[in-house]
Amino acid sequence: MKQKVKATVVSQKELVKGIFDLWIKTDLAKEAHCGQFIGVYTKDSSKLLPRPISICEVSDDFDALRLVYRVTAENSGTDLISKLNAGDEVEIIGILGNGYIFTDIFGESLEKSMDSNVVLLGGGIGIPPMLQAAKELSAHGIKPTVIVGYRDSNMFLNQDLTRYGTLLIASEDGSVGTKGNVMNVVDKLDKKPDIIMACGPMPMLRAIKNYAEAECEKGHEVSAFISLEERMACGVGACLGCVAKTKNVDEHSHVNNTRICTDGPVFDAKEVEI
């Protein structure tokens, strides 16, 4: 159930320029899973709507949430959030959205999927959700291959990700890992993915959807689950401000659209047109 509550800032630091790492203490952590997000309010009365931020990690005690986010502009909502210090109170709403639901991805028994090659793909600020996904998979005995893409050598969360899977890196300028993007690394894998879980910019998600469709046409079934990044207003499905085209008719709007904030942000790539 969605709740608007007050959380307490545990810590905040800047990982690399413009990317902040925020831990907040909240009972909502008990309900959080990989791929979901929360809305974070600022104290600026001119910014009434919360800023949607993906859940990067849930604490081992299930009493705190880690949010790793990018500051979009000076005096923006995320800029104001980046000024929070340990001990500050912050209002949040959550837990929001549908994340990576393992029973949908693997079926009722995860043990049957132990031999599947599970690959997590994260690009840019789509990297943070992959940490909790890898952490939850690891808790189920599944060690994924995690492929992340950066612009350059200014990496973040790379050390954290190595705790839960095999990490491979791509960079646009070739300064670390494979030069190019995450799909260039996928093409070099010894074993092709059976299951892909991904978050990142739209061109990356389109490439993943096309890759999965092409592999299926070749006779290799690839299931791809993608988290759509979209600007959101209300975050609870009322405003219809964040929609994607889908094969199914939405019960709320009665058209072939789906609300990313409530029906997603994670979708089976076969079900959305991007």
Side-chain angles (χ1 to χ4, degrees), residues 245-250 255-258 271:
K245 290 186 178 296
T246 180
K247 294 181 179 179
N248 303 316
V249 175
D250 180 64
V255 294
N256 287 79
N257 284 337
T258 187
E271 300 300 320

Coordinates of all heavy atoms in Angstrom, one line a residue, residues 245-250 255-258 271:
K245 N 3.3 2.9 -25.3 CA 2.4 2.1 -26.1 C 2.6 0.6 -25.7 O 3.7 0.1 -25.5 CB 2.7 2.3 -27.6 CG 2.3 3.7 -28.1 CD 2.4 3.7 -29.6 CE 2.0 5.1 -30.1 NZ 0.5 5.3 -29.9
T246 N 1.4 -0.1 -25.7 CA 1.5 -1.5 -25.3 C 0.5 -2.3 -26.2 O -0.4 -1.8 -26.9 CB 1.1 -1.7 -23.8 OG1 1.1 -3.0 -23.5 CG2 -0.3 -1.1 -23.6
K247 N 0.7 -3.6 -26.2 CA -0.3 -4.5 -26.9 C -1.6 -4.6 -26.3 O -2.6 -4.9 -26.9 CB 0.4 -5.9 -27.0 CG 1.6 -6.0 -27.9 CD 2.1 -7.4 -28.0 CE 3.4 -7.5 -28.8 NZ 3.9 -8.9 -28.9
N248 N -1.7 -4.3 -25.0 CA -2.9 -4.5 -24.2 C -3.6 -3.1 -24.0 O -3.0 -2.1 -23.9 CB -2.6 -5.1 -22.8 CG -1.9 -6.5 -23.0 OD1 -2.3 -7.3 -23.8 ND2 -0.9 -6.7 -22.2
V249 N -4.9 -3.2 -23.8 CA -5.7 -2.0 -23.6 C -5.7 -1.7 -22.1 O -6.0 -2.6 -21.3 CB -7.2 -2.2 -24.0 CG1 -8.0 -1.0 -23.7 CG2 -7.2 -2.4 -25.6
D250 N -5.3 -0.4 -21.8 CA -5.3 0.0 -20.4 C -6.7 0.2 -19.8 O -7.5 0.8 -20.4 CB -4.5 1.3 -20.3 CG -4.4 1.8 -18.9 OD1 -3.8 1.1 -18.0 OD2 -5.0 2.9 -18.6
V255 N -7.2 2.8 -23.9 CA -6.5 2.8 -25.2 C -5.2 1.9 -25.0 O -5.0 1.4 -23.9 CB -6.0 4.2 -25.6 CG1 -7.2 5.1 -25.9 CG2 -5.2 4.9 -24.5
N256 N -4.5 1.7 -26.1 CA -3.3 0.8 -26.0 C -2.1 1.6 -25.4 O -1.1 1.7 -26.0 CB -3.0 0.3 -27.4 CG -4.0 -0.8 -27.9 OD1 -5.1 -0.4 -28.3 ND2 -3.6 -2.0 -27.7
N257 N -2.3 2.1 -24.3 CA -1.2 2.7 -23.5 C -1.1 2.1 -22.2 O -2.1 1.5 -21.7 CB -1.5 4.2 -23.3 CG -1.3 5.0 -24.5 OD1 -0.5 4.6 -25.4 ND2 -1.9 6.2 -24.6
T258 N 0.0 2.1 -21.6 CA 0.2 1.7 -20.2 C 0.9 2.7 -19.4 O 1.7 3.5 -19.9 CB 1.1 0.4 -20.2 OG1 1.1 -0.2 -18.9 CG2 2.5 0.6 -20.7
E271 N 5.8 -6.8 -24.6 CA 4.5 -6.2 -24.4 C 4.5 -4.7 -24.7 O 3.4 -4.1 -24.7 CB 4.1 -6.5 -22.9 CG 3.9 -7.9 -22.6 CD 2.9 -8.7 -23.4 OE1 1.9 -8.1 -23.7 OE2 3.2 -9.8 -23.8

